Amino acid sequence: METKQIITGKEANKTLKDCIELMQGKVNQSKKAGSDIYNIGIYIRGRSYNPIEGLPMHKDIYILTQDGIETLCFNTSHHRAMIALKLYKNNQLKNVAPEIWNNYITNGHTTCKGLLANYDNKLEKIKNIARSHADYLGNETGNSGIDHTNRVDMRN
């Protein structure tokens, strides 16, 4: 994912009124959003889905870059949104594939560790495990512990 520098409205030589106009049509609270964009370059909108019933707070995050207003995430759980913002600010998302990023911000099954994982150094180990499972087919004893030990012995 390509990350761009987050800038404030002041740094972009925009007035507060310009920032409010940028946010009109994106969010209902355009004055608050424009003020946040002008001052810090980031607007975080909280969406409460009845927290009384234990449902989580969700967030939308809008950022200002040289290209204009961009949506970092939309209707994403609070924790994932804050992690996404932190990683974006630290420029740690540059090697994340778009499909993995999309899965993460849509509250999919990808964890933060999986978002930043690099499996290149583990590829040979993964191949060996897959090969031992394939080679062992048909030799199962019915005892999972014994089968596991036999597969591990095949790898060593």
Side-chain angles (χ1 to χ4, degrees), residues 100-114:
I100 293 173
W101 172 249
N102 188 46
N103 181 280
Y104 185 76
I105 63 167
T106 56
N107 302 308
H109 297 289
T110 304
T111 62
C112 183
K113 182 178 178 182

Side-chain angles (χ1 to χ4, degrees), residues 113-122:
K113 182 178 178 182
L115 183 66
L116 303 173
N118 181 0
Y119 295 106
D120 294 341
N121 59 348
K122 297 181 181 178

Side-chain angles (χ1 to χ4, degrees), residues 3-146:
T3 57
K4 300 170 188 162
Q5 182 68 35
I6 297 174
I7 58 174
T8 66
K10 293 175 191 173
E11 294 170 343
N13 295 322
K14 296 190 180 302
T15 64
L16 179 57
K17 185 177 178 181
D18 293 336
C19 292
I20 291 171
E21 288 173 1
L22 279 173
M23 294 307 292
Q24 283 179 344
K26 293 188 186 312
V27 295
N28 290 331
Q29 312 87 345
S30 59
K31 286 184 181 177
K32 167 76 169 108
S35 175
D36 285 358
I37 290 293
Y38 179 74
N39 291 310
I40 59 175
I42 301 165
Y43 174 63
I44 301 171
R45 177 176 181 259
R47 313 165 148 255
S48 176
Y49 289 116
N50 203 353
I52 294 169
E53 295 178 6
L55 298 174
M57 173 76 104
H58 282 65
K59 305 277 186 187
D60 305 338
I61 299 180
Y62 301 91
I63 57 175
L64 179 63
T65 66
Q66 289 294 342
D67 297 337
I69 298 293
E70 296 188 18
T71 305
L72 183 62
C73 59
F74 184 80
N75 197 19
T76 303
S77 71
H78 170 79
H79 178 73
R80 285 178 184 248
M82 295 300 103
I83 292 290
L85 182 58
K86 178 182 173 185
L87 296 176
Y88 191 93
K89 285 168 122 178
N90 293 335
N91 201 23
Q92 291 180 285
L93 297 176
K94 59 184 172 222
N95 296 326
V96 175
E99 58 274 3
I100 293 173
W101 172 249
N102 188 46
N103 181 280
Y104 185 76
I105 63 167
T106 56
N107 302 308
H109 297 289
T110 304
T111 62
C112 183
K113 182 178 178 182
L115 183 66
L116 303 173
N118 181 0
Y119 295 106
D120 294 341
N121 59 348
K122 297 181 181 178
L123 188 58
E124 194 57 40
K125 181 178 179 182
I126 292 168
K127 286 180 181 177
N128 285 339
I129 291 170
R131 193 176 306 114
S132 70
H133 277 261
D135 291 345
Y136 196 71
L137 284 177
N139 297 319
E140 291 86 359
T141 63
N143 183 324
S144 62
I146 293 171

